[in-house]
C-alpha cells in the first residue's frame, strides 16, 4: 500500500477540480482554527507531503467509529485524504485476513519504524487480556508492540480516548483507554461515540500538514473541542429566555425550545456537533429533537442518566457551566414572561407564532 497515488491523482480520478480542492482547503483551514493566510500552506502540504504509513487497530468497540468514517458522503475530499495516507493495516477495511493481515502490520511497522501514525479505536481490556484478541494476540499486547514504533497515536472514539461504553460501570472487562497504557508517545484524543467524520479526517489532515495540533487538558484538539455544544447551539436563545421543552411531544418540543430540562448535556460537552454537524452538515442530535448525550466527555454513560437534567458540578468548567445555567435561567425568566405575553397576545389576535417570532418579539 505504500505506492498509493498522491492526492492530485486521486482528485483527478474522482473528477474533483482544483477549485473544489482549494475550497476544501479553505474550509479545513477555518475548521482547524488557522488564519486564512495559512490556506495556501495547507493546500501545498496536502498535495506534496509524503503520505505517512498509518496502522489502525480496532479493539473493544462497536465499529461505529469506522462506520462513521466510511459512511460519510462519498466520495468526498476527506475520504480521498484518508485514502491517500498509506493505510497499511485496518482489519475491518482490509481484504487480507489472518496471517496475511498480521504480516502486513509487521511489515509496515518494520519499514516505517519511528515514523508511522498509529490510530486506535476501542478500549483495551486488562481484567483478563483474553477478553479481546486479534489473530491470537491480546489487545494489550498488540497495542504495546505497535505503539513502540509509532511517531504518534490518535485515539479515535470515546472508547479509545477514555474507555467509553466498555468502561461503563461495572466495567466487566476492566476496559481502559489508550493513554492508560501508553505513557511515552504523543496521544491525540478524538472522542465521540462515534466522532464526526470530518473531525477525524481534519485531525489526520492537521497531522499531515502541521504535525500534532494544539491540545486541551484531555488531549483533544482545541480546534474541534474548544467550545461546548451549548456555546454554539441554535436553541441557545431559548435557554437564555428560560424556554424549555419538558417532553418529546409538548409545546416546547414542537416550538423547538431548549432541551436542557430533557437532560441535554450540551452545556458540559465540548464538540463541534452544533456547527459542523453530521451527514455532510445536515443535522445533529439536538436539531433532530433529542438532547445531547455528552459522548465526547469521559464517563458519559455513567454521568447520571441521559434524560436527567445536569445537576452535579464535576470539575471547573462544569461548575462554570452550571453557574452560567443558573444565571441564564434567572435572566431567562424575564424573557420567558415576555415571550409568553407575546404568545398570549398573538393567540388573542389569532396570529400564528413560531419560534423565530418569539425571538424577534421578545
Ligand atoms: Fe466506541 Fe468506536 Fe462508540 Fe462504537 O470504534 S466510541 S462504542 S461508536 O465504535 O469505539
Amino acid at each position: 500500500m505504500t505506492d498509493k497515488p498522491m492526492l492530485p491523482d486521486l482528485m483527478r480520478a474522482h473528477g474533483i477540480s482544483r477549485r473544489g480542492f482549494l475550497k476544501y482547503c479553505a474550509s479545513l483551514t477555518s475548521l482547524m482554527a488557522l488564519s486564512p493566510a495559512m490556506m495556501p500552506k495547507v493546500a501545498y502540504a496536502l498535495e506534496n507531503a509524503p503520505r505517512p504509513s498509518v496502522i489502525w487497530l480496532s479493539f473493544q468497540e462497536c465499529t461505529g467509529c469506522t462506520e462513521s468514517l466510511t459512511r460519510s458522503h462519498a466520495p468526498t475530499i476527506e475520504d480521498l485524504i484518508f485514502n491517500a495516507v498509506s493505510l497499511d493495516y485496518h482489519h475491518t477495511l482490509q481484504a487480507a485476513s489472518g496471517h496475511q493481515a498480521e504480516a502486513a502490520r509487521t511489515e509496515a511497522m518494520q519499514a516505517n519504524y519511528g515514523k508511522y501514525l498509529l490510530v486506535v479505536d476501542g478500549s483495551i481490556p486488562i481484567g483478563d487480556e483474553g477478553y479481546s484478541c486479534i489473530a491470537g494476540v491480546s489487545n494489550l499486547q498488540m497495542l504495546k508492540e505497535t505503539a513502540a514504533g509509532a511517531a504518534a497515536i490518535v485515539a479515535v472514539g470515546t472508547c479509545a480516548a477514555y474507555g467509553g461504553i466498555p468502561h461503563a460501570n461495572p466495567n466487566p472487562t476492566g476496559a481502559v483507554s489508550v493513554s492508560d497504557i501508553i505513557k511515552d508517545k504523543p496521544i491525540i484524543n478524538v472522542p465521540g461515540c462515534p466522532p464526526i467524520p470530518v473531525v477525524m479526517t481534519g485531525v489526520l489532515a492537521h497531522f499531515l500538514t502541521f504535525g500534532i495540533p494544539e491540545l486541551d487538558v484531555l488531549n483533544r484538539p482545541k480546534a474541534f473541542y474548544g467550545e461546548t455544544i451549548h456555546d454554539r447551539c441554535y436553541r441557545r436563545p431559548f435557554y437564555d429566555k428560560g424556554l424549555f421543552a419538558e417532553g418529546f411531544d409538548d409545546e416546547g418540543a414542537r416550538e423547538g425550545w431548549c432541551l436542557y430540562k430533557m437532560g441535554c448535556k450540551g452545556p458540559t460537552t465540548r464538540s463541534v456537533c452544533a456547527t459542523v454537524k453530521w451527514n455532510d452538515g445536515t443535522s445533529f442530535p439536538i436539531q433532530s429533537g433529542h438532547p445531547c448525550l455528552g459522548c465526547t466527555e469521559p464517563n458519559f454513560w455513567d454521568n447520571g442518566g441521559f434524560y436527567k437534567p445536569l445537576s452535579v458540578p464535576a470539575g471547573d468548567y462544569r461548575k462554570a457551566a452550571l453557574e452560567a445555567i443558573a444565571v441564564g435561567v434567572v435572566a431567562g425568566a424575564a424573557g420567558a414572561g415576555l415571550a409568553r405575553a407575546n404568545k398570549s397576545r398573538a393567540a388573542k389576535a389569532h396570529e400564528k407564532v413560531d419560534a423565530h417570532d418569539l425571538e424577534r418579539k421578545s
Side-chain angles (χ1 to χ4, degrees), residues 100-116:
Q100 203 186 2
E102 291 315 299
R105 182 173 65 90
T106 310
E107 198 181 304
M109 283 164 58
Q110 286 168 352
N112 304 287
Y113 199 84
K115 291 185 285 194
Y116 58 82

Side-chain angles (χ1 to χ4, degrees), residues 111-136:
N112 304 287
Y113 199 84
K115 291 185 285 194
Y116 58 82
L117 183 66
L118 173 59
V119 181
V120 178
D121 64 6
S123 64
I124 303 98
I126 58 169
D128 183 325
E129 283 187 47
Y131 284 139
S132 181
C133 298
I134 299 164

Side-chain angles (χ1 to χ4, degrees), residues 60-66 121-123 156-160 164-166 192-195:
Q60 285 194 136
E61 39 77 39
C62 74
T63 313
C65 300
T66 295
D121 64 6
S123 64
V156 161
T158 297
C159 298
I165 293 174
C193 189

Side-chain angles (χ1 to χ4, degrees), residues 7-344:
L7 190 58
D9 306 321
L10 285 166
M11 286 191 324
R12 271 193 295 279
H14 285 81
I16 291 170
S17 66
R18 174 131 190 97
R19 182 185 289 263
F21 173 65
L22 291 178
K23 205 171 148 197
Y24 172 76
C25 290
S27 67
L28 192 62
T29 305
S30 138
L31 193 65
M32 294 192 292
L34 298 171
S35 149
M38 297 296 279
M39 195 278 268
K41 284 192 177 172
V42 172
Y44 181 85
L46 284 179
E47 284 182 302
N48 298 291
R51 303 288 161 223
S53 169
V54 173
I55 297 178
W56 186 307
L57 303 177
S58 294
F59 297 146
Q60 285 194 136
E61 39 77 39
C62 74
T63 313
C65 300
T66 295
E67 283 284 332
S68 172
L69 189 67
T70 57
R71 298 298 166 104
S72 61
H73 259 57
T76 61
I77 300 180
E78 295 100 299
D79 294 331
L80 295 180
I81 285 173
F82 181 69
N83 287 326
V85 300
S86 180
L87 185 61
D88 291 321
Y89 181 91
H90 187 313
H91 68 239
T92 311
L93 300 180
Q94 67 197 12
S97 61
H99 294 304
Q100 203 186 2
E102 291 315 299
R105 182 173 65 90
T106 310
E107 198 181 304
M109 283 164 58
Q110 286 168 352
N112 304 287
Y113 199 84
K115 291 185 285 194
Y116 58 82
L117 183 66
L118 173 59
V119 181
V120 178
D121 64 6
S123 64
I124 303 98
I126 58 169
D128 183 325
E129 283 187 47
Y131 284 139
S132 181
C133 298
I134 299 164
V137 180
S138 74
N139 292 171
L140 183 64
Q141 192 185 336
M142 189 175 280
L143 174 62
K144 283 180 177 170
E145 68 184 39
T146 315
I153 303 174
V154 183
V156 161
T158 297
C159 298
Y162 318 124
I165 293 174
H167 178 80
N169 187 37
N171 191 0
T173 64
V176 297
S177 68
V178 172
S179 53
D180 285 325
I181 305 288
I182 306 299
K183 304 289 184 190
D184 59 348
K185 297 283 173 180
I187 296 175
I188 308 168
N189 283 334
V190 184
C193 189
I196 298 172
V198 75
V199 170
M200 290 188 257
T201 52
V203 171
L204 283 178
H206 195 289
F207 184 79
L208 289 172
T209 50
F210 302 110
I212 294 173
E214 195 184 350
L215 306 175
D216 70 6
V217 290
L218 294 175
N219 281 350
R220 303 176 292 196
K222 283 186 177 173
F224 302 114
Y225 299 91
E227 293 180 300
T228 67
I229 290 175
H230 186 62
D231 288 334
R232 305 299 295 273
C233 182
Y234 75 102
R235 295 192 190 220
R236 175 67 185 262
F238 295 112
Y239 165 88
D240 290 336
K241 291 185 179 78
L243 291 171
F244 300 103
E246 299 191 29
F248 283 109
D249 57 355
D250 69 0
E251 182 198 10
R254 285 192 293 279
E255 299 287 1
W257 292 349
C258 175
L259 300 172
Y260 175 78
K261 288 189 178 177
M262 302 276 291
C264 185
K265 304 300 183 291
T268 57
T269 304
R270 291 176 180 265
S271 175
V272 285
C273 294
T275 46
V276 174
K277 303 187 180 178
W278 295 79
N279 297 321
D280 208 20
T282 304
S283 186
F284 72 114
I286 291 170
Q287 192 172 342
S288 72
H290 196 280
C292 164
L293 303 183
C295 77
T296 60
E297 299 297 326
N299 303 316
F300 81 98
W301 201 261
D302 291 324
N303 274 346
F306 291 156
Y307 301 103
K308 283 193 185 152
L310 288 164
S311 56
V312 182
D316 284 342
Y317 74 80
R318 285 161 200 257
K319 185 165 177 281
L322 286 162
E323 283 165 3
I325 287 162
V327 171
V329 170
V330 172
L338 194 50
R340 273 195 297 276
N342 283 334
K343 183 156 184 150
S344 142

